[in-house]
Amino acid sequence: MLEFYTNPRSRGQLVRWALEEVGEPYEEHIIAYGEEMKSEPYISINPMGKVPAIRHNGHVVTECGAIIAYLADAFPSAGLLPALEARADYYRWMFYTAGPVDQAITANALGWKPTPEQSGMAGFGSYDAVIDNLDRLLQSKSFVCGEGFTAADLYLGSQIMFGMSFGSIPKRASFEDYAGRLNNRPAYLKAKARDEELIAASA
């Protein structure tokens, strides 16, 4: 049994999408922000006191990129893994999303712009460099690994769609076209509907 720990107002939304792509049954645990998320029993799942997390076959996985990669590996019949010859792009952009993309967006949101000297020390270099790099990628390919959707698109696509909706990523043509290829997937629509239902119920 898969167990899914989340809050609908969190990055758990992208893990729910991954779970729906996988198509396996799962038990959801909605964790409230504040005391519940920062104390037992949830702190024994993730000592950082953050969501999302999953538990599968007695093993806990945290961090969005790790969860998505794990699900793709654990359930290969879902087709979220690319063919072996495309794995270089798959791993490159999966880890690029987890590292430089996430770091650049966070630094920019916090108002920190590395000086030219500091950019050599920062893994992302600069926010503009990261955005331009993604733009080049998505101008040249329909999906991260070519013509087929993979877990890397789920992760990168979530970052781009979330970023454009909140203004942390600009609405460039390549990003909007890419989002259009992703946001009509049945699994995405099903996951989105469930989180919107939970948000409405808690309002």
Side-chain angles (χ1 to χ4, degrees):
M1 171 63 73
L2 273 165
E3 293 181 82
F4 173 42
Y5 300 84
T6 188
N7 184 291
R9 292 184 173 88
S10 77
R11 297 184 187 196
Q13 288 191 19
L14 70 97
V15 170
R16 188 186 295 279
W17 177 15
L19 288 164
E20 295 299 340
E21 291 282 357
V22 163
E24 294 289 327
Y26 62 89
E27 180 180 352
E28 73 175 17
H29 303 279
I30 306 303
I31 310 298
Y33 284 110
E35 184 177 349
E36 182 180 5
M37 198 174 289
K38 299 297 184 182
S39 60
E40 294 291 358
Y42 184 66
I43 206 74
S44 64
I45 301 296
N46 186 356
M48 294 292 290
K50 293 180 178 292
V51 290
I54 65 167
R55 181 157 50 187
H56 181 233
N57 292 337
H59 299 287
V60 171
V61 188
T62 65
E63 315 313 317
C64 292
I67 295 170
I68 291 167
Y70 175 84
L71 290 172
D73 285 340
F75 302 99
S77 62
L80 295 177
L81 278 173
L84 186 60
E85 60 268 20
R87 296 282 173 87
D89 285 342
Y90 174 80
Y91 287 116
R92 175 187 177 184
W93 294 104
M94 182 75 82
F95 282 90
Y96 188 78
T97 302
V101 174
D102 197 66
Q103 293 166 10
I105 291 171
T106 300
N108 192 62
L110 294 174
W112 181 60
K113 184 175 182 178
T115 65
E117 294 76 20
Q118 291 171 329
S119 67
M121 295 165 39
F124 61 91
S126 73
Y127 172 83
D128 290 340
V130 167
I131 297 300
D132 289 345
N133 200 24
L134 292 179
D135 199 1
R136 283 190 294 271
L137 168 70
L138 296 175
Q139 285 185 46
S140 66
K141 293 183 176 183
S142 296
F143 297 98
V144 167
C145 295
E147 295 303 315
F149 175 87
T150 69
D153 295 293
L154 198 156
Y155 193 25
L156 177 60
S158 293
Q159 283 276 26
I160 287 177
M161 289 189 287
F162 181 88
M164 288 195 298
S165 68
F166 285 92
S168 59
I169 287 180
K171 293 184 176 180
R172 295 190 180 181
S174 68
F175 299 164
E176 292 184 308
D177 290 346
Y178 183 53
R181 292 190 286 275
L182 303 181
N183 61 19
N184 285 319
R185 293 183 65 84
Y188 174 83
L189 294 172
K190 184 178 179 181
K192 192 73 172 174
R194 176 55 179 160
D195 281 318
E196 288 177 351
E197 177 188 9
L198 289 167
I199 290 170
S202 66

